[in-house]
Amino acid sequence: MKKIILSLCLLQITWCKVVDQTWWKYTTMYQVFLPSFKDGNGDGMGDLKGLISKLDHFSDMGIETIYITPHFKSPMVDSGYDIMDYTSVNPLMGTMEDFETLIREMNSRGLKLVIDLVINHSSDQHPWFIKSIKNEKPYADFYVWKDPKGYEINGDPIPPNNWLSVFDGSAWKWNDERKQFYLHQFSSGQPDFNLRNKFLKTEINKIFEFWMNKGVAGFRLDAVKHFLEDKQLRDEPLSSPDIKVPYKCHDLKHIYTNNIPDTYEYIYEIRRYFNRLSKKFTDFERVLIIEDYARGDVLLRYYGTEKRQIAHLPLNFFFVEALLQSENASFYHNSINNYLTSLPEWATPTWNIENHDKFRKGYLFGEDFEFLSVLLVMMLPGMTYLYYGQEIGLIGSKIRPNQAANFFIDDLTQTSRDYFRLPMHWDDSLNAGFSTNRDLYLPLSPNYWRINVKSQKETEHSYYHMFKKIVNLRKTDTLKYGDFESYIISTWVYAFSRTFKGQSYIVIFNFGSETEFIDLHNCIDDLPRFSIIEVASPNSGYKVGDKLPTMQEIPTILILRPLAALVLSTTHSSV
């Protein structure tokens, strides 16, 4: 017989937010990994035409902002993050006319577009790099070039220092024509820019202006922590005394190549130019977002100060990186509150739990956990950043090594990142409605016949309908401006409330592996006679619209299954 334990409110913290109607502070931003979203020309790879054909999907969900991965011309060494022309469109993705059509069609639906911009490095096929090799002015110093530290006995040049690439091995590659090493913190096909060069920075500003004139709402700057490096090229210390010959990226402490003070100053330069450029547009404010996996004070510094703001939205990747399967309520309570209370009053929190570089949570921890993770970040205050397929519980799949399109691997699991970049499931037809081509650039997950947009739209109380409900709840004043109050209800049950002008939503999660029996009165005061279930995880056993008696006179025992979650509305009304 299972022991019934009524929960006790162990800890409670309140966080309040100033009301501000700026659009990007509360937006739901949906990341489209372009090659995997929808194929519009029948070549087996997603593209701009495919995205255009699915814009009504975003309107149906209630999504306001779409962020697309790089669409620029590229040799695709690193899925388009190696750019060879910053003012063009990759022929694999379409044409400039397609891009302009995308903007026009999005505008007609009230959607905003954010694009991924990579200015830490370019492709080694970029004309600037080719001219830099030849020492042509002004391109000679557009990249980080250094002489060898010396030569081996056999005559081989020795790299300038011990810096390592994100993809492991030396971050320096010898160029026999120029007779110098160039820095590449990613692949050797992605040479690092010298972002101290004033002529280069002027060219980069022109890129911002070009795409802003095309109608984009903002930019996500990729790999920001790598932007600038130590001028003295000092060796980085070993991360452990047990390491004899550093080879893997994490073998070193990256104190001279990650988030050095000069990087913050350069982002501030960009923000100042960005602000001046944005004054040309009166319809809405453009947004500058940065990608940096930093935490704590390192991340907070990218906000700047109220009078000297740097990025609008430094992305918070804590939950993306965290291994969440065995974490209890205290972990979520402490992690969320530590982040929120560390932010300046004027700063906007950001949340995301999946992206194109890290495993989907459902793949790691199961389909039920996928819904919990989405609900968690969607109901928290601030901007939420989603990954394509999360609206249907797409969790990815293993693929054979010969099926991978990208040879770089995830540093945690040492497996292909393509596991979580597989094509979107639109229906249960051939190739899941992703492409008319029988051959796809990546294979489908085998569960596409069961998990797809069409079937979930047609099924009441499906994952998709719950997702859509959450998106639209985020547009309410309560979730935009509401206070945040956090509760540890039991070891494995975590809850928080969002309250604004008498309206509250209470979000309850069971992160454990056993059914929990919860009395909300132990934690939450002044509950109305009845609460309404606004959102119920598909595995919860509850339905949207169900009334839950929460009157103070009698105990209210809420039965919550393992890895289940609910959102309750506690508006004081005639219900």
Side-chain angles (χ1 to χ4, degrees):
M1 179 177 177
K2 185 178 290 296
K3 184 179 179 181
I4 297 177
I5 301 176
L6 299 184
S7 59
L8 298 175
C9 189
L10 304 177
L11 192 60
Q12 174 179 336
I13 292 179
T14 302
W15 179 86
C16 303
K17 179 66 179 173
V18 176
V19 173
D20 185 331
Q21 297 183 1
T22 307
W23 71 271
W24 48 263
K25 289 179 178 286
Y26 314 102
T27 194
T28 304
M29 186 175 297
Y30 182 111
Q31 178 187 353
V32 170
F33 189 74
L34 271 175
S36 298
F37 192 68
K38 179 70 171 87
D39 177 12
N41 64 5
D43 67 353
M45 177 180 284
D47 49 41
L48 293 173
K49 283 185 177 179
L51 174 56
I52 293 166
S53 73
K54 292 298 182 182
L55 289 180
D56 287 341
H57 176 61
F58 297 97
S59 298
D60 183 65
M61 288 188 290
I63 295 293
E64 311 120 334
T65 310
I66 300 172
Y67 145 61
I68 60 172
T69 51
H71 64 283
F72 313 96
K73 189 175 181 181
S74 166
M76 300 295 281
V77 169
D78 186 15
S79 301
Y81 285 85
D82 48 318
I83 300 171
M84 60 185 294
D85 186 342
Y86 284 88
T87 56
S88 70
V89 172
N90 189 336
L92 291 172
M93 301 294 112
T95 65
M96 186 61 75
E97 183 180 0
D98 292 332
F99 186 88
E100 292 165 349
T101 300
L102 173 64
I103 292 288
R104 189 164 56 249
E105 290 295 321
M106 289 182 66
N107 288 343
S108 71
R109 293 168 173 82
L111 301 171
K112 295 180 174 67
L113 180 67
V114 170
I115 64 173
D116 212 342
L117 188 61
V118 188
I119 58 173
N120 175 71
H121 53 263
S122 75
S123 165
D124 61 356
Q125 297 182 36
H126 195 293
W128 294 346
F129 187 67
I130 294 170
K131 293 177 180 179
S132 189
I133 290 173
K134 300 179 183 302
N135 254 313
E136 293 184 19
K137 301 293 183 182
Y139 308 102
D141 295 324
F142 270 29
Y143 297 84
V144 180
W145 293 97
K146 295 297 174 185
D147 292 329
K149 184 165 61 174
Y151 293 88
E152 303 283 1
I153 295 175
N154 64 2
D156 289 342
I158 301 172
N161 58 31
N162 72 343
W163 293 354
L164 296 173
S165 160
V166 170
F167 298 132
D168 300 334
S170 176
W172 298 95
K173 184 172 181 178
W174 177 255
N175 181 269
D176 204 46
E177 181 176 350
R178 179 155 164 158
K179 302 299 182 186
Q180 282 186 308
F181 283 96
Y182 67 86
L183 179 67
H184 61 90
Q185 294 190 73
F186 291 87
S187 79
S188 60
Q190 296 165 287
D192 271 44
F193 280 129
N194 173 17
L195 293 175
R196 290 188 171 89
N197 184 289
K198 64 179 182 179
F199 299 108
L200 171 62
K201 290 193 282 189
T202 297
E203 292 300 315
I204 289 173
N205 286 345
K206 291 177 183 177
I207 296 167
F208 285 114
E209 185 171 12
F210 178 88
W211 291 106
M212 209 176 283
N213 285 333
K214 289 290 182 182
V216 304
F219 302 85
R220 172 195 176 274
L221 297 187
D222 183 71
V224 164
K225 71 179 181 181
H226 301 283
F227 273 15
L228 288 155
E229 306 80 32
D230 178 50
K231 287 183 179 180
Q232 299 178 48
L233 300 185
R234 286 171 284 187
D235 280 350
E236 293 190 311
L238 299 176
S239 58
S240 167
D242 297 330
I243 296 170
K244 304 305 179 186
V245 180
Y247 179 79
K248 291 189 172 294
C249 184
H250 58 254
D251 289 343
L252 298 178
K253 294 180 181 178
H254 300 290
I255 61 174
Y256 297 130
T257 55
N258 287 184
N259 297 308
I260 70 168
D262 290 353
T263 299
Y264 297 98
E265 289 303 310
Y266 177 51
I267 302 297
Y268 178 61
E269 280 185 45
I270 292 176
R271 175 65 182 270
R272 285 189 300 172
Y273 176 78
F274 198 88
N275 290 344
R276 293 196 299 271
L277 190 59
S278 296
K279 290 178 180 178
K280 294 173 53 179
F281 307 95
T282 58
D283 47 356
F284 58 86
E285 183 179 7
R286 271 53 181 175
V287 63
L288 183 66
I289 304 168
I290 66 153
E291 182 229 28
D292 191 324
Y293 281 83
R295 299 180 191 174
D297 292 342
V298 176
L299 182 65
L300 291 177
R301 285 184 63 186
Y302 281 108
Y303 280 102
T305 64
E306 188 168 12
K307 293 184 178 180
R308 192 178 187 270
Q309 295 183 24
I310 300 179
H312 291 99
L313 296 170
L315 293 177
N316 169 23
F317 288 102
F318 177 74
F319 284 131
V320 173
E321 292 191 293
L323 292 177
L324 304 174
Q325 187 177 33
S326 61
E327 301 295 356
N328 60 22
S330 295
F331 167 84
Y332 291 96
H333 176 87
N334 295 331
S335 301
I336 291 169
N337 283 287
N338 288 344
Y339 170 63
L340 288 176
T341 55
S342 70
L343 293 176
E345 184 177 349
W346 51 269
T348 299
T350 69
W351 310 96
N352 63 129
I353 206 154
E354 292 180 2
N355 66 15
H356 62 287
D357 281 331
K358 299 291 180 180
F359 269 91
R360 294 181 183 268
K361 292 297 186 282
Y363 177 90
L364 293 174
F365 310 133
E367 292 180 17
D368 290 337
F369 193 92
E370 181 72 15
F371 185 87
L372 266 66
S373 66
V374 171
L375 180 64
L376 176 70
V377 296
M378 292 281 274
M379 297 297 289
L380 291 169
M383 185 275 266
T384 296
Y385 178 103
L386 300 168
Y387 190 40
Y388 80 98
Q390 284 190 289
E391 69 269 36
I392 58 172
L394 194 68
I395 63 172
S397 176
K398 290 183 179 180
I399 59 176
R400 295 188 299 272
N402 65 341
Q403 293 177 305
N406 189 304
F407 66 88
F408 300 120
I409 61 174
D410 175 67
D411 57 2
L412 172 66
T413 61
Q414 296 300 297
T415 50
S416 173
R417 292 184 293 175
D418 287 340
Y419 283 24
F420 36 94
R421 298 177 176 185
L422 302 185
M424 179 68 169
H425 301 172
W426 295 104
D427 55 43
D428 61 359
S429 67
L430 180 68
N431 286 337
F434 168 74
S435 175
T436 56
N437 195 315
R438 190 172 183 85
D439 297 320
L440 307 183
Y441 95 106
L442 283 176
L444 293 165
S445 295
N447 62 4
Y448 75 89
W449 61 273
R450 179 172 58 88
I451 298 178
N452 61 73
V453 173
K454 183 174 183 293
S455 66
Q456 291 200 17
K457 283 187 176 182
E458 294 172 350
T459 303
E460 190 179 7
H461 305 301
S462 68
Y463 196 118
Y464 177 80
H465 286 295
M466 293 301 102
F467 179 91
K468 182 176 174 180
K469 177 73 172 179
I470 300 166
V471 171
N472 285 285
L473 283 178
R474 279 180 52 78
K475 297 179 181 180
T476 65
D477 286 349
T478 303
L479 288 190
K480 283 184 177 180
Y481 315 126
D483 295 345
F484 171 85
E485 199 156 6
S486 181
Y487 313 94
I488 299 173
I489 292 182
S490 72
T491 301
W492 296 102
V493 177
Y494 173 63
F496 60 81
S497 62
R498 304 293 311 284
T499 303
F500 186 76
K501 294 184 177 179
Q503 160 76 52
S504 292
Y505 294 114
I506 301 172
V507 194
I508 310 166
F509 305 87
N510 181 2
F511 287 108
S513 57
E514 296 183 354
T515 298
E516 294 266 359
F517 299 81
I518 304 160
D519 185 354
L520 293 178
H521 294 129
N522 288 333
C523 277
I524 303 172
D525 297 326
D526 195 29
L527 290 169
R529 293 185 63 81
F530 292 94
S531 296
I532 303 298
I533 295 178
E534 295 282 355
V535 177
S537 63
N539 66 340
S540 68
Y542 294 92
K543 292 183 179 180
V544 173
D546 284 352
K547 286 186 179 180
L548 188 70
T550 50
M551 59 192 72
Q552 295 285 348
E553 298 82 23
I554 60 173
T556 301
I557 306 304
L558 180 65
I559 302 173
L560 201 57
R561 293 173 179 171
L563 297 182
L566 295 175
V567 177
L568 307 181
S569 171
T570 63
T571 306
H572 291 270
S573 66
S574 59
V575 300

